[in-house]
Amino acid sequence: MFICIAIHEFSRFAQFSRSAAFQAGATSAGSSAQDPIDTVGDLAFLRPGTDALRSIATPPRSVARSTALVKAGIKSLVSRLKGKVLVVIGGTTGIGFSAARAFVEAGARVVVVGRDPDNVTLAQKSLGASARAIAGDATHPKTAPKAIQAARKAFGGFHGLYHVAGGSGRRKGDGPLHELTDEGWDYTLNLNLTSMFHSNRAAVRQFLKQGGGGTVLNMGSVLGWSPSPEYFATHGYATTKAAIVGLTKSAAAYYAKDSIRFNVLAPALVDTPMSERAQSDDAIMEFIRTKQPLDGGRIGQPGDLDSAAVYLMSDESRFVTGQVLAVDGGWCVSEGQY
C-alpha cells in the first residue's frame, strides 16, 4: 500500500512541478537552506507565506528520500522471508509445494518433506539450491525432527514450520458418523491430526532449545466449522480439522510468552490430488460455483493461499498468534445452491 501511494504521489508531484515551473518560468537545481518546504518524516508541507508555484517547482529534500524508500519497498516485496529457514511438512505437491515455491521466491530457504520419492525428486529440481527435499512419512514421529535437523545442517537455522500434510480417509472408511468405520476413524486421525502433533511438537521443542521464538502454521479446513452435508460428509476428517484449531489455539496461548506463534490457514475446496473425486463430479462443481462465488465462482488453486502463507510465516505477522485465516472463495459466507 505504501509503495503504491508513494509512487502515485511522486508522479503527481513531478507532473505538477513541471507544469508549475513552466508557468512561473522557474528553474532550480535543487533545494537549499531556504527551501520553502518543511518535511516531517515523509510528509512535505509548504511554509506559510511562500509562493506556491515557486515552492512546488523546487523539489523538496524528501523526494530523494521517498524515492529511496519506494525502491527499498519494492525490493522488500521479494525478500519478505529473507534469512528465514522454513520446513514444510507435505511440501512436495499441491498446496505445500506451491507455498514452498512462494517461500523461496520471497527469500527463504526451505526443507520440504513428502512421501512419494518421485515427487521429492521433482520438488528438488524445481525449487533449486535454496531447498532440500527429503522423503518421509509425516505420521512417523521421527520425520519432522529429521527435517528440522536437515534444515539446520543445510542452512544454519530453523525459524518456522508449515504443516500441510494430511488428506481424506474416505477410501479407508471415513464418512457420515453411522457409516464411519473404526479403521476409517483411526486412519483419518492419524493422517491429519497425529501427523500435525508430531511436527508441531518437534518444532516447539527446537524453538525452546534455541531460544528466540519461531512460528508454526497449520493447514486446517473450513469443514472444521462450516460443514457441507450434501457432498462432504466425512465426519472423521471434519473432526481432525476442528481439532487442529483447538490444538493450535491452545499452543498459541501457552507459548506466546516464548514468542512462538501458532496459526491456522483454512482453505475450502482446492485443486489438489485430494480433491479429484469432487472435481470429477459435475454436481459438486456446480455447487462449488455458488459456494465459492469469488472470482467468478470456481475451485481454489494452490497459489491462492501463497500470499497468506508468506505473511503468516514472515515477521510481518509478528503480533499475530492463535488465529484462523480462511482463504475459501466465500465458502463460509455463502449458502451454495444444489
Side-chain angles (χ1 to χ4, degrees):
M1 173 93 48
F2 163 75
I3 295 170
C4 294
I5 294 172
I7 292 173
H8 176 65
E9 293 303 320
F10 181 68
S11 176
R12 288 180 57 199
F13 169 80
Q15 292 174 4
F16 192 35
S17 294
R18 287 193 295 268
S19 174
F22 176 79
Q23 294 176 39
T27 58
S28 175
S31 58
S32 65
Q34 301 302 314
D35 193 333
I37 297 182
D38 285 323
T39 60
V40 178
D42 297 308
L43 301 178
F45 303 89
L46 278 176
R47 290 180 185 151
T50 24
D51 180 84
L53 291 178
R54 184 179 65 82
S55 299
I56 295 174
T58 306
R61 288 185 297 268
S62 63
V63 169
R65 184 166 65 252
S66 296
T67 303
L69 287 170
V70 167
K71 290 180 179 178
I74 292 172
K75 183 178 180 181
S76 72
L77 291 177
V78 293
S79 60
R80 296 163 69 187
L81 293 173
K82 185 177 181 180
K84 300 291 186 183
V85 179
L86 308 176
V87 172
V88 184
I89 306 294
T92 58
T93 62
I95 294 172
F97 174 72
S98 185
R101 184 170 53 195
F103 294 162
V104 169
E105 291 173 351
R109 289 167 293 176
V110 303
V111 169
V112 296
V113 180
R115 288 185 298 182
D116 188 310
D118 291 338
N119 289 331
V120 170
T121 299
L122 291 172
Q124 182 65 72
K125 289 181 179 178
S126 178
L127 295 173
S130 293
R132 297 291 185 273
I134 61 177
D137 184 347
T139 66
H140 195 287
K142 292 185 178 180
T143 297
K146 177 182 176 182
I148 291 169
Q149 295 310 312
R152 297 179 69 243
K153 182 178 180 180
F155 302 120
F158 171 59
H159 305 96
L161 177 134
Y162 184 18
H163 183 97
V164 186
S168 173
R170 186 184 298 273
R171 294 180 181 178
K172 297 292 185 177
D174 193 8
L177 184 58
H178 70 288
E179 298 176 357
L180 204 165
T181 66
D182 291 349
E183 180 188 6
W185 175 264
D186 291 341
Y187 176 86
T188 305
L189 264 66
N190 191 47
L191 181 63
N192 292 288
L193 188 57
T194 302
S195 67
M196 190 208 76
F197 157 69
H198 288 318
S199 70
N200 281 213
R201 181 178 64 179
V204 78
R205 282 176 173 175
Q206 182 61 39
F207 290 147
L208 290 172
K209 181 179 180 180
Q210 65 194 26
T215 185
V216 173
L217 179 60
N218 291 317
M219 176 57 62
S221 168
V222 294
L223 290 176
W225 71 88
S226 181
S228 178
E230 183 72 16
Y231 296 123
F232 301 96
T234 45
H235 293 165
Y237 181 82
T239 298
T240 65
K241 294 304 181 179
I244 284 171
V245 173
L247 179 55
T248 299
K249 285 181 173 288
S250 294
Y254 188 85
Y255 295 105
K257 66 183 183 301
D258 301 297
S259 296
I260 303 173
R261 303 185 295 108
F262 290 79
N263 293 290
V264 173
L265 195 55
L269 188 66
V270 179
D271 183 1
T272 66
M274 177 182 160
S275 66
E276 288 177 356
R277 176 195 69 91
Q279 293 185 63
S280 64
D281 189 315
D282 291 340
I284 294 180
M285 295 309 292
E286 181 61 23
F287 168 71
I288 290 300
R289 188 180 65 81
T290 57
K291 186 63 172 171
Q292 298 179 189
L294 286 182
D295 199 24
R298 62 172 176 83
I299 189 173
Q301 296 298 318
D304 291 330
L305 288 85
D306 287 352
S307 294
V310 169
Y311 167 72
L312 289 169
M313 297 300 288
S314 75
D315 290 338
E316 294 173 11
S317 60
R318 60 189 175 276
F319 215 57
V320 178
T321 194
Q323 302 306 304
V324 180
L325 175 58
V327 182
D328 64 359
W331 174 291
C332 290
V333 293
S334 304
E335 291 182 332
Q337 301 301 309
Y338 297 107

